[in-house]
Amino acid sequence: MSHFSSKLLTWYDESKRDLPWRHTKDPYKIWVSEIMLQQTQAVTVMPYYERFINTLSDIRALAEADEALLLKLWEGLGYYSRVRNMQATARVIMEKYDGIMPNTKASLMKLKGIGPYTAGAIASIAFDQKASAIDGNVSRVLARYALIEDSIDSNEVKKKLEEINLPLIDDDRPADYTQAMIELGATVCRKSQPLCDICPINQDCKAYKAQKQSMIPVKDKKNAKKNFQYITFVLEDEDGNLILLKQENRLLNGLFLLPQIEAESIHYAITSLEEYGYVVNNYEPLGHYRHVFTHMIWEMDVYYVKVIKPSGILSFKDYKEVAIATAHKQVLDKINRSRK
Ligand code: SF4
Protein backbone atom coordinates (compact mmCIF):
# COMPACT_ATOMS: atom_id res chain seq x y z
CA MET A 1 0.00 0.00 0.00
CA SER A 2 1.40 3.43 -0.93
CA HIS A 3 2.00 6.10 1.72
CA PHE A 4 -0.81 8.09 0.12
CA SER A 5 -3.39 5.26 0.25
CA SER A 6 -2.39 4.20 3.72
CA LYS A 7 -2.88 7.71 5.14
CA LEU A 8 -6.07 8.27 3.16
CA LEU A 9 -7.73 4.98 4.18
CA THR A 10 -6.77 5.29 7.84
CA TRP A 11 -8.36 8.73 7.86
CA TYR A 12 -11.44 7.43 6.02
CA ASP A 13 -11.92 4.58 8.52
CA GLU A 14 -11.87 7.05 11.38
CA SER A 15 -13.71 10.02 9.89
CA LYS A 16 -16.16 8.90 7.19
CA ARG A 17 -19.73 10.11 7.39
CA ASP A 18 -22.43 7.50 7.92
CA LEU A 19 -24.29 7.72 4.59
CA PRO A 20 -27.04 5.22 3.64
CA TRP A 21 -25.43 4.17 0.33
CA ARG A 22 -22.29 3.18 2.23
CA HIS A 23 -24.15 0.23 3.77
CA THR A 24 -24.68 -1.60 0.50
CA LYS A 25 -22.81 -3.32 -2.33
CA ASP A 26 -25.98 -3.44 -4.46
CA PRO A 27 -24.94 -1.87 -7.80
CA TYR A 28 -28.49 -0.58 -8.38
CA LYS A 29 -28.49 1.36 -5.11
CA ILE A 30 -24.98 2.67 -5.71
CA TRP A 31 -26.01 3.76 -9.19
CA VAL A 32 -29.05 5.62 -7.81
CA SER A 33 -26.93 7.36 -5.15
CA GLU A 34 -24.22 8.36 -7.64
CA ILE A 35 -26.72 9.86 -10.07
CA MET A 36 -28.45 11.78 -7.27
CA LEU A 37 -25.12 13.02 -5.91
CA GLN A 38 -24.24 14.68 -9.21
CA GLN A 39 -24.58 18.43 -8.48
CA THR A 40 -26.19 17.78 -5.06
CA GLN A 41 -24.72 17.51 -1.57
CA ALA A 42 -24.94 14.25 0.38
CA VAL A 43 -27.10 15.65 3.20
CA THR A 44 -29.67 16.85 0.66
CA VAL A 45 -29.62 13.56 -1.24
CA MET A 46 -30.22 11.32 1.80
CA PRO A 47 -34.04 11.64 2.12
CA TYR A 48 -34.46 11.47 -1.68
CA TYR A 49 -32.32 8.33 -1.82
CA GLU A 50 -34.26 6.60 0.98
CA ARG A 51 -37.62 7.46 -0.61
CA PHE A 52 -36.51 6.40 -4.09
CA ILE A 53 -35.06 3.07 -2.94
CA ASN A 54 -38.06 2.34 -0.71
CA THR A 55 -40.44 3.04 -3.60
CA LEU A 56 -38.42 1.50 -6.46
CA SER A 57 -36.30 -1.15 -4.80
CA ASP A 58 -34.66 -2.72 -7.84
CA ILE A 59 -33.92 -2.33 -11.54
CA ARG A 60 -37.18 -3.97 -12.57
CA ALA A 61 -39.26 -1.57 -10.45
CA LEU A 62 -37.43 1.41 -11.98
CA ALA A 63 -37.89 0.05 -15.51
CA GLU A 64 -41.64 -0.33 -14.97
CA ALA A 65 -42.36 2.91 -13.04
CA ASP A 66 -44.77 5.57 -14.32
CA GLU A 67 -43.12 8.77 -15.49
CA ALA A 68 -45.25 10.91 -13.13
CA LEU A 69 -44.02 8.86 -10.15
CA LEU A 70 -40.41 9.15 -11.31
CA LEU A 71 -40.66 12.93 -11.64
CA LYS A 72 -42.33 13.22 -8.24
CA LEU A 73 -39.59 11.13 -6.59
CA TRP A 74 -37.01 13.37 -8.25
CA GLU A 75 -38.79 16.68 -7.61
CA GLY A 76 -36.33 19.13 -6.05
CA LEU A 77 -33.16 17.42 -7.29
CA GLY A 78 -33.33 19.07 -10.72
CA TYR A 79 -31.88 17.87 -14.03
CA TYR A 80 -34.72 15.48 -14.64
CA SER A 81 -33.04 14.01 -17.71
CA ARG A 82 -30.94 12.09 -15.18
CA VAL A 83 -33.86 10.06 -13.89
CA ARG A 84 -35.30 9.60 -17.38
CA ASN A 85 -31.94 8.26 -18.56
CA MET A 86 -31.86 5.95 -15.56
CA GLN A 87 -35.21 4.50 -16.51
CA ALA A 88 -34.17 4.05 -20.16
CA THR A 89 -31.03 2.28 -18.95
CA ALA A 90 -32.98 0.13 -16.48
CA ARG A 91 -35.13 -1.05 -19.39
CA VAL A 92 -32.02 -1.90 -21.45
CA ILE A 93 -30.57 -3.83 -18.49
CA MET A 94 -33.84 -5.78 -18.16
CA GLU A 95 -33.95 -6.59 -21.87
CA LYS A 96 -30.30 -7.15 -22.76
CA TYR A 97 -28.63 -8.17 -19.52
CA ASP A 98 -31.41 -10.23 -17.81
CA GLY A 99 -31.81 -7.50 -15.21
CA ILE A 100 -28.18 -7.79 -14.05
CA MET A 101 -26.02 -4.68 -14.03
CA PRO A 102 -22.80 -4.99 -16.10
CA ASN A 103 -19.75 -5.08 -13.81
CA THR A 104 -16.90 -3.37 -15.66
CA LYS A 105 -16.27 0.32 -16.19
CA ALA A 106 -16.10 -0.14 -19.98
CA SER A 107 -19.42 -2.02 -20.18
CA LEU A 108 -21.16 0.40 -17.80
CA MET A 109 -20.04 3.36 -19.94
CA LYS A 110 -22.01 1.97 -22.87
CA LEU A 111 -25.24 2.62 -20.97
CA LYS A 112 -27.19 5.85 -21.38
CA GLY A 113 -26.55 8.43 -18.64
CA ILE A 114 -23.52 6.58 -17.24
CA GLY A 115 -20.33 8.53 -17.93
CA PRO A 116 -16.74 7.71 -16.96
CA TYR A 117 -17.12 8.92 -13.37
CA THR A 118 -20.35 7.04 -12.58
CA ALA A 119 -19.11 3.90 -14.36
CA GLY A 120 -15.87 4.02 -12.35
CA ALA A 121 -17.76 4.60 -9.10
CA ILE A 122 -20.11 1.63 -9.67
CA ALA A 123 -17.30 -0.66 -10.87
CA SER A 124 -15.11 0.15 -7.88
CA ILE A 125 -17.69 0.54 -5.10
CA ALA A 126 -20.07 -2.29 -6.06
CA PHE A 127 -17.69 -4.68 -7.83
CA ASP A 128 -14.36 -3.93 -6.08
CA GLN A 129 -12.52 -3.21 -9.31
CA LYS A 130 -9.49 -0.94 -9.64
CA ALA A 131 -11.41 1.60 -11.69
CA SER A 132 -10.83 5.33 -11.57
CA ALA A 133 -13.78 7.51 -10.54
CA ILE A 134 -12.90 11.17 -10.89
CA ASP A 135 -15.65 13.69 -10.21
CA GLY A 136 -15.28 17.40 -9.39
CA ASN A 137 -14.24 16.68 -5.80
CA VAL A 138 -11.63 14.10 -6.76
CA SER A 139 -10.28 16.31 -9.59
CA ARG A 140 -9.70 19.05 -7.07
CA VAL A 141 -7.84 16.75 -4.67
CA LEU A 142 -5.66 15.30 -7.43
CA ALA A 143 -4.94 18.67 -9.05
CA ARG A 144 -3.82 20.06 -5.69
CA TYR A 145 -1.92 16.92 -4.70
CA ALA A 146 0.08 17.02 -7.97
CA LEU A 147 0.13 20.83 -8.29
CA ILE A 148 -1.51 20.96 -11.70
CA GLU A 149 -1.63 24.58 -12.79
CA ASP A 150 -3.31 24.07 -16.16
CA SER A 151 -7.09 24.10 -16.56
CA ILE A 152 -8.75 20.92 -15.26
CA ASP A 153 -11.34 21.38 -18.02
CA SER A 154 -8.80 20.47 -20.70
CA ASN A 155 -8.74 16.93 -22.05
CA GLU A 156 -4.98 16.65 -21.51
CA VAL A 157 -5.34 17.45 -17.83
CA LYS A 158 -8.30 15.08 -17.45
CA LYS A 159 -6.12 12.32 -18.92
CA LYS A 160 -3.26 13.30 -16.64
CA LEU A 161 -5.50 13.11 -13.57
CA GLU A 162 -6.48 9.55 -14.58
CA GLU A 163 -2.79 8.65 -14.89
CA ILE A 164 -2.06 10.11 -11.47
CA ASN A 165 -5.04 8.42 -9.84
CA LEU A 166 -4.79 4.85 -11.15
CA PRO A 167 -1.55 3.83 -9.41
CA LEU A 168 -2.78 5.39 -6.15
CA ILE A 169 -5.84 3.08 -5.98
CA ASP A 170 -5.36 0.57 -3.21
CA ASP A 171 -5.15 -3.05 -4.50
CA ASP A 172 -7.06 -4.50 -1.57
CA ARG A 173 -9.64 -1.75 -0.97
CA PRO A 174 -10.52 -0.10 -4.29
CA ALA A 175 -14.11 0.59 -3.16
CA ASP A 176 -12.96 2.38 -0.02
CA TYR A 177 -10.27 4.27 -1.95
CA THR A 178 -12.92 5.70 -4.30
CA GLN A 179 -15.22 6.68 -1.44
CA ALA A 180 -12.33 8.10 0.59
CA MET A 181 -11.22 10.37 -2.26
CA ILE A 182 -14.78 11.64 -2.76
CA GLU A 183 -15.11 12.15 1.00
CA LEU A 184 -11.81 14.00 1.23
CA GLY A 185 -12.83 16.39 -1.56
CA ALA A 186 -16.27 16.98 -0.01
CA THR A 187 -15.20 17.52 3.60
CA VAL A 188 -11.50 18.48 3.79
CA CYS A 189 -10.09 19.51 0.42
CA ARG A 190 -13.01 21.88 -0.07
CA LYS A 191 -13.31 24.38 -2.91
CA SER A 192 -12.59 27.31 -0.64
CA GLN A 193 -10.66 27.20 2.60
CA PRO A 194 -9.41 23.61 2.41
CA LEU A 195 -8.58 22.16 5.83
CA CYS A 196 -4.96 21.39 4.99
CA ASP A 197 -3.79 21.26 8.61
CA ILE A 198 -5.91 18.18 9.29
CA CYS A 199 -5.65 16.65 5.82
CA PRO A 200 -4.32 13.07 5.88
CA ILE A 201 -2.29 13.55 2.70
CA ASN A 202 -0.82 16.96 3.45
CA GLN A 203 2.72 15.56 3.60
CA ASP A 204 2.38 14.42 -0.01
CA CYS A 205 0.45 17.43 -1.32
CA LYS A 206 2.49 19.65 -3.63
CA ALA A 207 0.00 22.53 -3.63
CA TYR A 208 0.08 22.64 0.17
CA LYS A 209 3.87 22.59 0.19
CA ALA A 210 3.91 25.50 -2.29
CA GLN A 211 1.02 27.22 -0.44
CA LYS A 212 -0.90 27.37 -3.71
CA GLN A 213 -3.96 25.36 -2.65
CA SER A 214 -6.32 28.34 -2.99
CA MET A 215 -5.21 28.88 -6.63
CA ILE A 216 -5.90 25.31 -7.71
CA PRO A 217 -7.80 23.90 -9.51
CA VAL A 218 -7.64 26.29 -12.45
CA LYS A 219 -10.83 26.30 -14.55
CA ASP A 220 -11.70 27.59 -18.02
CA LYS A 221 -13.31 31.01 -18.02
CA LYS A 222 -15.77 29.88 -20.68
CA ASN A 223 -17.30 27.54 -18.09
CA ALA A 224 -18.41 30.46 -15.93
CA LYS A 225 -22.14 30.41 -15.24
CA LYS A 226 -24.37 32.49 -17.50
CA ASN A 227 -26.84 34.85 -15.82
CA PHE A 228 -30.46 35.23 -16.96
CA GLN A 229 -32.74 37.99 -15.71
CA TYR A 230 -36.42 37.03 -15.67
CA ILE A 231 -39.68 38.63 -14.72
CA THR A 232 -41.52 35.62 -13.31
CA PHE A 233 -45.29 35.56 -12.83
CA VAL A 234 -47.49 33.84 -10.31
CA LEU A 235 -50.62 34.06 -12.43
CA GLU A 236 -53.87 33.25 -10.70
CA ASP A 237 -57.27 33.40 -12.33
CA GLU A 238 -60.46 34.62 -10.71
CA ASP A 239 -61.25 31.12 -9.40
CA GLY A 240 -57.90 30.80 -7.60
CA ASN A 241 -56.37 28.49 -10.25
CA LEU A 242 -52.71 28.77 -11.13
CA ILE A 243 -51.42 29.07 -14.67
CA LEU A 244 -48.47 26.70 -15.13
CA LEU A 245 -46.66 25.84 -18.33
CA LYS A 246 -45.51 22.28 -19.00
CA GLN A 247 -41.97 22.26 -20.40
CA GLU A 248 -40.79 20.32 -23.40
CA ASN A 249 -37.08 20.97 -23.44
CA ARG A 250 -33.94 19.07 -22.50
CA LEU A 251 -33.38 20.79 -19.18
CA LEU A 252 -36.83 20.66 -17.61
CA ASN A 253 -38.77 18.26 -19.82
CA GLY A 254 -42.13 17.25 -18.30
CA LEU A 255 -41.95 19.74 -15.41
CA PHE A 256 -44.20 22.71 -14.81
CA LEU A 257 -42.90 26.28 -14.70
CA LEU A 258 -44.47 29.57 -13.81
CA PRO A 259 -44.72 31.79 -16.89
CA GLN A 260 -41.66 34.03 -17.15
CA ILE A 261 -40.20 36.45 -19.63
CA GLU A 262 -36.54 37.34 -20.05
CA ALA A 263 -36.74 41.05 -19.23
CA GLU A 264 -35.69 43.59 -16.63
CA SER A 265 -38.76 45.83 -16.77
CA ILE A 266 -42.15 44.77 -15.40
CA HIS A 267 -43.88 47.08 -17.87
CA TYR A 268 -42.26 45.35 -20.83
CA ALA A 269 -43.10 41.95 -19.33
CA ILE A 270 -46.77 42.86 -18.72
CA THR A 271 -47.05 44.09 -22.30
CA SER A 272 -45.57 40.80 -23.48
CA LEU A 273 -48.05 38.86 -21.32
CA GLU A 274 -50.90 40.78 -22.92
CA GLU A 275 -49.50 40.04 -26.36
CA TYR A 276 -49.68 36.33 -25.44
CA GLY A 277 -53.43 36.80 -24.78
CA TYR A 278 -53.47 37.22 -21.00
CA VAL A 279 -55.95 39.78 -19.68
CA VAL A 280 -54.29 41.33 -16.64
CA ASN A 281 -56.43 42.69 -13.82
CA ASN A 282 -53.73 43.82 -11.37
CA TYR A 283 -50.24 42.90 -10.22
CA GLU A 284 -47.93 43.29 -7.22
CA PRO A 285 -44.23 42.50 -6.59
CA LEU A 286 -43.35 39.42 -4.52
CA GLY A 287 -39.59 39.92 -4.29
CA HIS A 288 -36.41 38.67 -5.86
CA TYR A 289 -35.47 34.99 -6.13
CA ARG A 290 -32.39 33.27 -7.46
CA HIS A 291 -31.77 29.73 -8.61
CA VAL A 292 -28.34 28.38 -9.44
CA PHE A 293 -28.06 25.57 -11.98
CA THR A 294 -24.66 24.01 -12.80
CA HIS A 295 -24.18 26.09 -15.93
CA MET A 296 -26.46 29.10 -15.40
CA ILE A 297 -28.17 31.32 -12.84
CA TRP A 298 -31.76 32.53 -12.96
CA GLU A 299 -32.30 35.93 -11.33
CA MET A 300 -36.07 36.30 -10.97
CA ASP A 301 -38.13 39.34 -10.03
CA VAL A 302 -41.42 37.70 -9.14
CA TYR A 303 -44.84 39.35 -9.51
CA TYR A 304 -48.25 38.14 -8.44
CA VAL A 305 -50.73 38.82 -11.25
CA LYS A 306 -54.48 38.41 -11.17
CA VAL A 307 -55.74 37.53 -14.64
CA ILE A 308 -59.24 37.44 -16.03
CA LYS A 309 -58.30 34.94 -18.70
CA PRO A 310 -57.12 32.39 -19.68
CA SER A 311 -57.98 29.98 -16.85
CA GLY A 312 -55.43 28.24 -14.69
CA ILE A 313 -54.87 24.49 -14.67
CA LEU A 314 -55.16 23.61 -10.99
CA SER A 315 -56.16 25.17 -7.73
CA PHE A 316 -53.30 27.00 -5.99
CA LYS A 317 -53.68 24.80 -2.91
CA ASP A 318 -52.98 21.70 -5.03
CA TYR A 319 -49.72 22.88 -6.60
CA LYS A 320 -47.70 20.27 -4.69
CA GLU A 321 -49.46 17.50 -6.60
CA VAL A 322 -47.58 18.21 -9.82
CA ALA A 323 -43.83 18.26 -10.45
CA ILE A 324 -42.79 21.91 -10.51
CA ALA A 325 -39.22 22.99 -11.29
CA THR A 326 -37.34 23.79 -8.06
CA ALA A 327 -36.51 27.30 -9.30
CA HIS A 328 -40.21 28.12 -9.13
CA LYS A 329 -41.39 25.75 -6.40
CA GLN A 330 -39.47 27.90 -3.86
CA VAL A 331 -41.66 30.86 -4.94
CA LEU A 332 -44.94 28.95 -4.52
CA ASP A 333 -43.81 27.45 -1.19
CA LYS A 334 -43.18 30.93 0.18
CA ILE A 335 -46.56 32.26 -0.97
CA ASN A 336 -48.23 29.14 0.40
CA ARG A 337 -46.65 29.72 3.83
CA SER A 338 -47.79 33.33 3.85
CA ARG A 339 -51.37 32.30 2.99
CA LYS A 340 -51.71 29.92 5.95
S1 SF4 B 1 -3.24 19.35 1.86
FE1 SF4 B 1 -4.85 20.81 1.48
S2 SF4 B 1 -4.83 21.17 -0.72
FE2 SF4 B 1 -3.65 19.32 -0.32
S3 SF4 B 1 -5.11 17.65 -0.61
FE3 SF4 B 1 -5.10 18.18 1.56
S4 SF4 B 1 -6.74 19.68 1.86
FE4 SF4 B 1 -6.29 19.52 -0.33
Side-chain angles (χ1 to χ4, degrees):
M1 193 189 290
S2 69
H3 183 257
F4 181 101
S5 293
S6 154
K7 291 277 185 189
L8 177 73
L9 290 171
T10 304
W11 166 81
Y12 180 67
D13 291 339
E14 288 164 0
S15 316
K16 68 181 173 207
R17 291 169 296 173
D18 184 17
L19 302 172
W21 45 90
R22 291 196 174 144
H23 295 280
T24 183
K25 293 294 269 184
D26 180 342
Y28 168 69
K29 293 178 183 167
I30 289 161
W31 177 34
V32 171
S33 71
E34 287 300 337
I35 299 293
M36 285 186 170
L37 285 162
Q38 290 169 8
Q39 332 290 358
T40 313
Q41 293 192 341
V43 280
T44 310
V45 163
M46 277 198 278
Y48 285 95
Y49 170 82
E50 303 274 18
R51 201 163 47 125
F52 197 95
I53 293 298
N54 288 338
T55 312
L56 305 172
S57 59
D58 55 25
I59 293 177
R60 176 182 296 279
L62 172 58
E64 293 173 357
D66 279 348
E67 187 181 61
L69 172 65
L70 274 191
L71 294 180
K72 199 64 197 160
L73 288 170
W74 209 263
E75 188 184 57
L77 284 173
Y79 300 97
Y80 291 78
S81 57
R82 290 184 292 171
V83 72
R84 286 204 178 87
N85 286 339
M86 280 183 73
Q87 186 174 52
T89 292
R91 288 174 178 162
V92 170
I93 295 172
M94 290 308 297
E95 282 163 24
K96 285 198 184 162
Y97 300 90
D98 290 334
I100 297 167
M101 194 111 179
N103 63 5
T104 64
K105 183 171 177 178
S107 54
L108 285 159
M109 277 174 63
K110 289 184 185 147
L111 298 170
K112 193 172 180 181
I114 299 189
Y117 164 72
T118 309
I122 298 169
S124 63
I125 298 170
F127 299 113
D128 288 311
Q129 298 193 3
K130 277 190 76 175
S132 229
I134 303 181
D135 68 348
N137 282 329
V138 178
S139 291
R140 185 168 60 250
V141 174
L142 291 169
R144 286 173 172 167
Y145 159 74
L147 190 57
I148 302 222
E149 296 181 271
D150 296 323
S151 168
I152 57 162
D153 297 316
S154 78
N155 287 336
E156 296 80 57
V157 169
K158 283 181 185 158
K159 208 167 143 234
K160 202 165 171 182
L161 294 179
E162 285 273 346
E163 288 164 7
I164 295 165
N165 189 51
L166 263 179
L168 294 173
I169 300 176
D170 190 77
D171 288 333
D172 300 323
R173 299 179 60 189
D176 286 340
Y177 174 87
T178 293
Q179 304 229 49
M181 285 294 273
I182 296 167
E183 185 80 349
L184 188 72
T187 63
V188 175
C189 193
R190 307 178 305 198
K191 255 186 220 168
S192 60
Q193 300 178 329
L195 306 173
C196 301
D197 291 345
I198 59 157
C199 175
I201 57 161
N202 57 12
Q203 285 174 23
D204 299 309
C205 177
K206 291 187 180 156
Y208 182 49
K209 279 185 193 152
Q211 285 297 295
K212 285 188 166 179
Q213 60 271 41
S214 61
M215 289 172 237
I216 294 174
V218 174
K219 302 198 89 185
D220 279 357
K221 286 215 173 51
K222 69 177 167 54
N223 284 342
K225 290 186 192 343
K226 205 171 162 195
N227 262 59
F228 291 90
Q229 174 65 53
Y230 287 113
I231 303 288
T232 304
F233 294 110
V234 177
L235 293 175
E236 199 170 14
D237 70 16
E238 291 180 303
D239 298 321
N241 292 319
L242 268 179
I243 293 170
L244 295 170
L245 305 177
K246 194 163 188 181
Q247 301 302 293
E248 289 175 11
N249 58 42
R250 209 172 64 81
L251 178 64
L252 298 166
N253 198 10
L255 293 184
F256 288 93
L257 274 189
L258 297 168
Q260 62 183 5
I261 288 164
E262 198 178 346
E264 291 185 1
S265 140
I266 177 62
H267 303 294
Y268 170 80
I270 290 283
T271 308
S272 301
L273 262 191
E274 288 170 343
E275 282 169 4
Y276 282 116
Y278 291 91
V279 179
V280 174
N281 194 4
N282 57 42
Y283 64 87
E284 60 181 271
L286 292 176
H288 185 82
Y289 290 75
R290 188 170 202 259
H291 188 74
V292 180
F293 296 84
T294 27
H295 60 295
M296 65 177 169
I297 297 172
W298 284 5
E299 300 284 357
M300 298 169 284
D301 286 322
V302 181
Y303 286 81
Y304 173 80
V305 181
K306 196 90 185 166
V307 289
I308 296 168
K309 67 174 191 171
S311 301
I313 62 166
L314 86 170
S315 167
F316 186 98
K317 65 180 169 42
D318 296 329
Y319 76 91
K320 287 186 180 163
E321 288 177 14
V322 296
I324 296 174
T326 309
H328 288 171
K329 188 161 177 292
Q330 57 172 333
V331 176
L332 295 174
D333 284 344
K334 192 166 176 196
I335 300 172
N336 191 34
R337 283 195 296 274
S338 71
R339 284 185 176 185
K340 276 178 184 165

